[in-house]
Every structure is written in structure tokens, then in C-alpha cells.
Amino acid sequence: MDIKEFFKVNFEIEVPKYVQIANNLKNLIETKVIEDGEKLPPIRDYTEFLKVNKITVVNAYKKLQQEGFAYQKVGSGTYAKKKEVVSTFMREYSNTFKRLSTGNLEEAIDFAGETTGELLFPIKDFKDIINKVLDRDGAEALVSQNPLGYENLRKTINKVFWGNDLDNEDILIVSGAQQGIDIASKAILNINDNVIVEKPTYGGALSVFRWRRANIFEVDMEEDGVNIESFEKVLKKNKISCFYTMSYFQNPTGISYSLEKKKKIMELAQKYDFYIIEDDYLSELIYDESVDYIPFKWLDKNDRVVYIKSFSKIFLPGIRIGYIVSPKIFKESIQNSKINTDIATSSLMQRALEMYIAEGKWKENISSLSIEYRKRYKLMTRLIDSELKDSVSYNKPGGGLSFYLTLRDEHITSKLLFQRLVKKGVYITPGALFFRNIKDGNKTFRIGFSQTDKDKISKGLKIIREELELCRI
């Protein structure tokens, strides 16, 4: 191999040579002299080029891998890995919603929200439940208990949602789905391990895997889940540690997996020895009777699924409670990761949630939410078909809280649309937030209806249509 001059290092006496080599390579990667994914010089060639010991180059490459600037392919060599940074647009998007949260929310049309609107919160019921818990348990309700979670809550989750098919000890209470993903990734992934995600996928999960310095492989979504052929190609070429998936009403696409694809992925998990992190997102909100609820975890004969469920998204976002069901192999490490993260989740909220579920209030709340959200879903479907039919394409999700739209006009980007709509008091989620490379999301955006009533849905979609028409002028 002909090693270019920029790989040369003018060694200083005070600093170990392997550190100087690694620092030079980091600088070349950060400044894009060495491109992301470009192969670094073979160890033997680089040793001769620099006139150093082989172990010096080996240690330099190990340092790069440990710091997330390189990864190794067995039998192939070491490759550069550009550390991802927050884009200017990501910051702009974040700052927009920080300003919105401190401004006048009443007038805003928020199609970007992902949680239940405050008017649908079961405030009175939950207040009564909290009073009952305090009357029953007194001060004990305010004291942190088992770091695995309130025992009766774990038992009730097992009974109500799993028919007592689980071991109570396999259920871990966490502070929402985001913490669940973080805890699961810490248990499964090491630096430079490989993870497959859906393309596009939940931005919060991408952030977790980036922080773990994992190598992220994206596989395109089809109408019933990931493309299996592409999925297996990645598996054949790379040692994959886990696959992150949202099996129902995937965020952002709204796609639900077919039973056939779920079974195939379970087979591949066993064949290629990887684990599945299943984020069961909004599966309670099914409006289309053709959608059957059969999560990956129900098909898990080989104990390969980490199941994550949050109660925050459609119940009370402020309580931040969810749970994980983990495979036996990761049970201890997931529990330790939870303890190291925040020791325990609110004891009072856990006890209140347990009583809320045990007394049947949870099912009543979901039933009333489904009635209201089904109305909004149907209205939004009708209005997208009438107001935006010439501007976007989409697949009907059949449930959940949002729609994922693709712009037809090649000259309009979702970033431009977002910026124009903000000035009109309408907020959408551009597709850029759901891809490793934000350019992949240029033509897509998500709109949700959980934070909007019927009048705002009608008004907001009319404004979107008008702005799309103005973009063409």
C-alpha cells in the first residue's frame, strides 16, 4: 500500500509514540482528510512507514477504537469512524421548541407533540388513586423501595398484561422508554459493537447508540417492517449485537410489522446470534381491526428479546414510568445498569400506577383515549387526502398518534417547510431527526394529532397546504 505523506508523524520525546500516532489520525478523521469508513493503513505497512514497533501501531489503533474514531472488521482491517456531532438544523429545531414551551401554547398548532394532550389526562381519577395510596401506605409510599421496582406493580404488570407468563423478577421498572433503551444498550453494547436500526427510526434511540459509540447500520422500512433481504445482507457481512425495533406504529413511519416478518427476524436472531430490543410503542391505540397485537416478545422461544414498554406516552407523561422484560443472560447487567443510573423510580407514582391498573382504570382510560384519537385519526386521514393529495404520499398507519408524509415536489424540503410553518405558528417534525444522515430526511415529515383538537387539525392542514403551494411559486 502506498501510504500518503499526511500519515507521517514527527515524533516528540515527551509523548508516547502510539498516542501521537492516534492523535494525528484523529485530526485527519475530524478534518475529513481521512473519510468516514476509509480503511487505515495495514499495521505491517504503517510500521515500516513510521519505522516503529508493530505494537506501537497496534496500540494506536486500539486507542482510536476505544475513543470511537475507528472500528475493526475481522480479517479486513481497521477503518476510520467520523464522530457525529449535532447539526445546525438539529439545534435550530430544539431551540424552536424551547421557545415554544415558554411562549403562548394556546395559539400554537402543535403537530410535533408525541404525548397525550393535557385535556385528556385522567387527572381526577389519578388524584383519587394517589389519595387512596397515601391513606393506605402513609409515609411508606414516599420512601424509595426495591431498585427493581415496586413489587406489587411488577406482579400486576405480569398478571394484567402477560397473564402471569413471566417471572416477576424478570420485570424491571424504569423511568420511561428512553431510559429503558439506554439501560438495554449499556447491557448489550460495547464500544464499536454493531447495531441495526430501522431506516428511519426514533431519534432518541439513535442518540443512545451514538453515545455508546456503536456502529449503526440502517435497513429500509417497507409497508410491513424492514426489508428482510437487506437486513440479512448486513447480518452476513457484520457481527451484529442487537436490532432496535418498534413493532407497532413505528416512530416515525407508523408502520406495524407483519407476523411473517416478525417470525423471520426471530429466526435470524437465533441463526446470527443477535438480540432484539423491542420498543412497544403505542400498541394500545389500534384503530384498524386488521392489525393484530402479537409483539416479538410473544414469539420469543429462545430468550432473545428485550421488551420495553412505557406508560408515559399515552397516560401521564410527567410520571415517567415504564418497564423492561429482559432475557436471562442480560438480567443482572440490566438491573445493575438501572441501579447505576438512578437507583429507583418514584415509589409513590409506582404505587399509584399499580392501583390504577389493578382497579381497571387503565383499561377504561385507554378505551376513552382510543375513541377520541380514532376520531382525530379519521379526520386527519380525510383532510390529508383532500388538502394535501397533490403534495404528499403516505401509508395509513391504522393506529398510533401520527402520520408520516413524503413530499412529492423535488424542489421542496421538509426543513424549508418546517421553517415556513413556524412563522405561521404550526409545528411539524422534519424527517431529518429520524436518520443517521439528516439529508436522508429531506423529503419527509411527521404530523401528529395528540396535541391538537379537531379545529386545530383542520386549520393546521389548511396552512400546510397553503405553504406548500407558495413554495412552488
Side-chain angles (χ1 to χ4, degrees):
M1 176 181 179
D2 182 22
I3 302 179
K4 298 179 176 63
E5 187 65 24
F6 54 67
F7 282 103
K8 188 175 180 179
V9 179
N10 295 316
F11 293 113
E12 300 174 5
I13 298 175
E14 296 82 2
V15 183
K17 289 183 178 180
Y18 81 93
V19 173
Q20 295 180 63
I21 296 170
N23 288 341
N24 180 57
L25 291 172
K26 278 194 290 186
N27 180 60
L28 294 173
I29 293 167
E30 287 182 324
T31 56
K32 296 186 179 181
V33 175
I34 299 176
E35 294 291 339
D36 185 28
E38 184 177 339
K39 187 175 181 179
L40 299 181
I43 291 173
R44 180 184 297 176
D45 294 352
Y46 205 16
T47 296
E48 294 176 357
F49 178 77
L50 294 175
K51 295 181 173 57
V52 296
N53 294 327
K54 178 180 177 182
I55 193 66
T56 301
V57 176
V58 170
N59 286 337
Y61 282 6
K62 283 183 179 179
K63 181 174 173 59
L64 286 177
Q65 292 175 52
Q66 290 168 356
E67 296 181 8
F69 283 92
Y71 61 96
Q72 188 176 39
K73 288 186 179 181
V74 178
S76 178
T78 304
Y79 293 78
K81 182 181 178 183
K82 180 72 167 65
K83 295 189 74 172
E84 299 181 60
V85 296
V86 178
S87 72
T88 302
F89 178 63
M90 295 293 194
R91 284 194 292 270
E92 176 188 344
Y93 179 83
S94 177
N95 290 335
T96 296
F97 283 91
K98 287 177 183 177
R99 291 193 297 271
L100 176 62
S101 64
T102 58
N104 187 357
L105 293 171
E106 293 296 323
E107 298 300 319
I109 299 176
D110 184 7
F111 287 138
E114 296 181 75
T115 57
T116 301
E118 61 184 52
L119 294 177
L120 298 177
F121 287 171
I123 297 296
K124 185 180 183 302
D125 284 346
F126 202 66
K127 180 180 178 181
D128 292 341
I129 290 287
I130 288 177
N131 288 333
K132 284 184 182 181
V133 169
L134 290 172
D135 288 341
R136 183 192 69 188
D137 300 341
E140 188 180 355
L142 303 175
V143 179
S144 295
Q145 298 290 325
N146 190 334
L148 303 183
Y150 177 48
E151 184 176 357
N152 285 350
L153 176 57
R154 289 186 284 131
K155 288 180 179 178
T156 297
I157 286 171
N158 194 2
K159 178 182 177 181
V160 174
F161 301 118
W162 296 89
N164 286 323
D165 285 343
L166 302 176
D167 183 339
N168 292 332
E169 296 301 310
D170 290 340
I171 299 173
L172 174 68
I173 304 301
V174 294
S175 301
Q178 184 68 24
Q179 187 187 67
I181 298 167
D182 181 60
I183 288 171
S185 71
K186 288 176 180 175
I188 298 174
L189 296 171
N190 294 310
I191 292 175
N192 284 319
D193 278 358
N194 300 323
V195 57
I196 296 178
V197 300
E198 297 152 340
K199 184 180 182 182
T201 193
Y202 170 49
L206 285 175
S207 296
V208 167
F209 300 137
R210 285 172 181 143
W211 277 109
R212 292 301 295 162
R213 298 179 187 173
N215 303 311
I216 302 172
F217 294 85
E218 297 173 302
V219 177
D220 288 328
M221 290 289 280
E222 298 179 321
E223 291 184 9
D224 63 343
V226 291
N227 180 299
I228 293 295
E229 183 178 346
S230 299
F231 189 81
E232 190 162 12
K233 280 183 179 179
V234 176
L235 294 171
K236 287 178 179 179
K237 293 181 180 180
N238 306 275
K239 177 65 182 82
I240 298 298
S241 295
C242 70
F243 166 50
Y244 170 75
T245 179
M246 305 178 91
S247 48
Y248 284 88
F249 314 123
Q250 191 253 12
N251 186 9
T253 65
I255 289 168
S256 297
Y257 276 72
S258 65
L259 180 58
E260 179 185 5
K261 280 200 173 174
K262 280 182 278 197
K263 287 180 177 178
K264 181 61 178 177
I265 290 170
M266 294 303 304
E267 291 174 7
L268 293 173
Q270 186 67 11
K271 179 179 179 180
Y272 291 99
D273 188 24
F274 66 90
Y275 290 85
I276 297 167
I277 299 177
E278 179 179 19
D279 186 353
D280 188 356
Y281 175 75
L282 300 180
S283 61
E284 295 88 352
L285 299 178
I286 296 175
Y287 316 132
D288 188 334
E289 293 180 358
S290 66
V291 180
D292 294 322
Y293 180 66
I294 305 175
F296 279 96
K297 192 62 183 176
W298 285 12
L299 306 172
D300 188 18
K301 297 178 181 178
N302 298 305
D303 207 23
R304 289 199 166 270
V305 177
V306 179
Y307 176 89
I308 300 173
K309 184 67 184 177
S310 173
F311 294 106
S312 307
K313 191 66 69 177
I314 60 171
F315 183 45
L316 291 171
I319 70 170
R320 304 307 302 163
I321 294 180
Y323 69 95
I324 294 179
V325 181
S326 62
K328 302 292 184 187
I329 190 172
F330 296 120
K331 180 178 175 181
E332 183 176 353
S333 58
I334 282 179
Q335 290 175 355
N336 289 337
S337 181
K338 163 62 176 174
I339 293 169
N340 291 334
T341 301
D342 66 358
I343 302 179
T345 302
S346 168
S347 176
L348 175 60
M349 290 298 103
Q350 288 189 66
R351 290 164 187 263
L353 179 60
E354 187 280 325
M355 187 179 288
Y356 194 84
I357 296 171
E359 292 190 356
K361 295 291 185 180
W362 169 262
K363 287 186 177 179
E364 291 177 14
N365 183 49
I366 293 299
S367 178
S368 62
L369 284 177
S370 294
I371 292 170
E372 173 59 27
Y373 285 143
R374 184 180 279 107
K375 292 176 183 177
R376 298 185 190 185
Y377 172 82
K378 289 182 177 179
L379 174 63
M380 189 167 271
T381 301
R382 180 168 59 80
L383 290 175
I384 291 173
D385 288 342
S386 60
E387 297 282 353
L388 305 181
K389 64 179 180 180
D390 296 327
S391 302
V392 303
S393 60
Y394 75 106
N395 292 314
K396 294 178 183 178
L401 294 173
S402 62
F403 290 79
Y404 190 61
L405 312 178
T406 300
L407 294 163
R408 295 183 187 276
D409 194 316
E410 62 181 17
H411 301 296
I412 303 173
T413 67
S414 57
K415 176 182 174 182
L416 173 64
L417 181 61
F418 167 78
Q419 292 167 333
R420 293 180 68 109
L421 289 173
V422 165
K423 296 175 183 178
K424 300 286 186 177
V426 178
Y427 299 86
I428 63 172
T429 307
L433 275 67
F434 306 108
F435 295 85
R436 279 189 62 209
N437 184 342
I438 65 172
K439 292 181 180 179
D440 289 336
N442 274 343
K443 307 306 295 181
T444 60
F445 64 99
R446 188 192 65 196
I447 54 173
F449 47 83
S450 64
Q451 301 289 325
T452 55
D453 57 24
K454 293 179 181 178
D455 289 340
K456 284 189 174 182
I457 289 172
S458 299
K459 182 179 178 181
L461 283 172
K462 181 180 179 181
I463 292 172
I464 291 175
R465 174 180 59 77
E466 291 171 349
E467 288 304 310
L468 286 171
E469 290 175 351
L470 288 172
C471 284
R472 297 192 191 100
I473 297 175

